[in-house]
Amino acid sequence: RSSDLPLLWKQSDEHNMLRCAILTTLLHLVKGLVEDSHSLYPFLLPVIQLSTDVSQPPHVYLLEDGLVLWLVTLENSQCLTPELLRIFQNMSALLELGSENLKNCFQIINAYIFLASPDFLHTYASILCQSFCTILRDRKST
């Protein structure tokens, strides 16, 4: 049952591989529920927040699955909630990593723009421009 996932997540605090399995389960739930997945947001969004926060140690294990879950959540959202918008605060640090997850990051940015470009760009346009300039500068110097 999906109602057991929050308790399982809490109890698996020291077991990141189990948490990866929970992320995968959430991914399938969001895909299955489509726009009704917003009912999972009270649990889902903090999980995405933690999984994609590079200042948190578990991100080493959870980042890749967390990014995919984040993207699928956006793709199945009908509107941009303040909580979904707030998670984007993690993106700047993710872009600085410039790792193999860069493609997923760009897909997430794209999803935000398609979902609610005025609100999103009003809040994050300058941060995105700075991040993109840094990425281009880094690519140019390599």
Side-chain angles (χ1 to χ4, degrees):
R1 293 182 322 205
S2 65
S3 60
D4 294 334
L5 289 175
L7 178 61
L8 188 57
W9 180 265
K10 190 173 184 179
Q11 291 175 340
S12 64
D13 190 34
E14 299 295 319
H15 306 284
N16 289 311
M17 296 314 291
L18 178 56
R19 283 190 162 187
C20 286
I22 294 169
L23 288 173
T24 302
T25 302
L26 285 169
L27 175 71
H28 292 294
L29 278 171
V30 170
K31 284 181 176 180
L33 292 171
V34 192
E35 64 268 355
D36 291 333
S37 63
H38 65 86
S39 64
L40 298 173
Y41 281 11
F43 171 59
L44 179 66
L45 299 184
V47 167
I48 294 170
Q49 173 75 35
L50 174 73
S51 302
T52 60
D53 184 349
V54 297
S55 70
Q56 298 295 320
H59 91 275
V60 174
Y61 304 97
L62 306 177
L63 180 59
E64 188 173 336
D65 292 328
L67 288 171
V68 174
L69 179 59
W70 189 0
L71 178 60
V72 168
T73 300
L74 288 167
E75 290 173 342
N76 288 285
S77 296
Q78 289 186 327
C79 64
L80 186 61
T81 66
E83 296 81 13
L84 265 174
L85 189 59
R86 212 172 5 262
I87 293 173
F88 197 81
Q89 293 172 354
N90 288 354
M91 186 57 70
S92 186
L94 291 167
L95 291 172
E96 285 179 26
L97 287 178
S99 66
E100 65 277 352
N101 294 312
L102 209 50
K103 180 180 178 187
N104 283 335
C105 290
F106 285 131
Q107 289 175 323
I108 289 167
I109 293 166
N110 229 10
Y112 272 100
I113 291 170
F114 283 124
L115 192 57
S117 60
D119 294 334
F120 171 69
L121 291 174
H122 176 74
T123 306
Y124 289 108
S126 64
I127 293 169
L128 281 172
C129 285
Q130 290 171 353
S131 294
F132 293 158
C133 286
T134 301
I135 291 169
L136 289 172
R137 194 170 33 253
D138 291 346
R139 295 276 186 224
K140 213 173 168 182
S141 65
T142 56

